Amino acid sequence: MRASVFHSLETPRLQIRHFTPADLPTLLAYRNDPLVARYQSWESMTEAEGRAFIEEMQQRQPGEPGPGFQFAIALKTSGLHIGDCYFKILDYDPHQAEIGYSLARAHWGQGFATEALTAILEYSFRTLDLHRIIAIADCENRASIALLERLGMRREGHFLKSMWSKGAWGDEYQYAILLEEWRSRHRSTPQ
């Protein structure tokens, strides 16, 4: 894995970057939306928690081992913050990472999550030189399952009643993609 200082990633419609204090209102809006939180480990976020979260994320880099990093996802044209992507180097192997994401509801169904995660996967494999990326999805979250499969991730496991969330046990799928699988899907991208 190559160490590097992360600045930002750009896609045709998005900028993927560190959080800024200006992101606080939008962060709080979607983190306090019950439909956005439905399949997440969190339920809400206070203003104090939001400020602390942004300050903490400003100090981190995505390739560093530790508790994880959150990329802010913003619209390139306006700079409007619309969501985030979780990224964590796995504790047991620095060549593997886990990803996750959240988008404000107004931006669902427009391909933004696919665009952001594609850029983050490319960054993970090319810049950070990772070997394998995993993602965990609630078995009831059909939209996330479809997204992960669209990205070329394959279902590796089905964990029964493996998570306690919002007062009930839930099932999860684990998805993964290897560097060579990513490269074979994106052959037009220079290696």
Side-chain angles (χ1 to χ4, degrees), residues 22-110:
D23 297 328
L24 183 63
T26 50
L27 175 67
L28 293 176
Y30 71 80
R31 286 287 178 119
N32 287 303
D33 181 336
L35 287 180
V36 175
R38 179 176 180 195
Y39 298 115
Q40 300 290 352
S41 60
W42 40 265
E43 292 192 41
S44 63
M45 179 179 272
T46 66
E47 186 171 335
E49 290 168 337
R51 286 185 196 287
F53 171 84
I54 289 171
E55 288 173 15
E56 188 175 346
M57 289 305 115
Q58 288 179 315
Q59 304 305 312
R60 291 192 192 161
Q61 293 294 323
E64 296 174 350
F69 178 80
Q70 299 277 154
F71 294 93
I73 302 168
L75 298 176
K76 196 190 306 189
T77 54
S78 65
L80 176 68
H81 166 240
I82 64 168
D84 59 73
C85 181
Y86 173 74
F87 181 86
K88 180 182 180 358
I89 300 294
L90 299 182
D91 295 331
Y92 58 86
D93 186 343
H95 297 94
Q96 299 186 60
E98 179 180 352
I99 59 171
Y101 70 96
S102 301
L103 279 182
R105 193 173 359 152
H107 303 284
W108 290 359
Q110 298 173 54

Side-chain angles (χ1 to χ4, degrees), residues 117-165:
L117 290 176
T118 297
I120 291 167
L121 286 168
E122 182 65 21
Y123 169 79
S124 300
F125 289 127
R126 181 181 302 278
T127 304
L128 299 179
D129 201 26
L130 295 182
H131 167 70
R132 181 171 174 269
I133 310 290
I134 67 166
I136 307 293
D138 187 303
C139 292
E140 294 180 10
N141 190 344
R142 290 188 187 107
S144 282
I145 291 166
L147 167 61
L148 297 173
E149 291 175 357
R150 229 180 1 262
L151 291 169
M153 298 184 87
R154 83 199 117 61
R155 189 179 302 169
E156 289 189 327
H158 182 179
F159 305 108
L160 301 175
K161 296 186 179 182
S162 59
M163 61 156 184
W164 179 259
S165 180

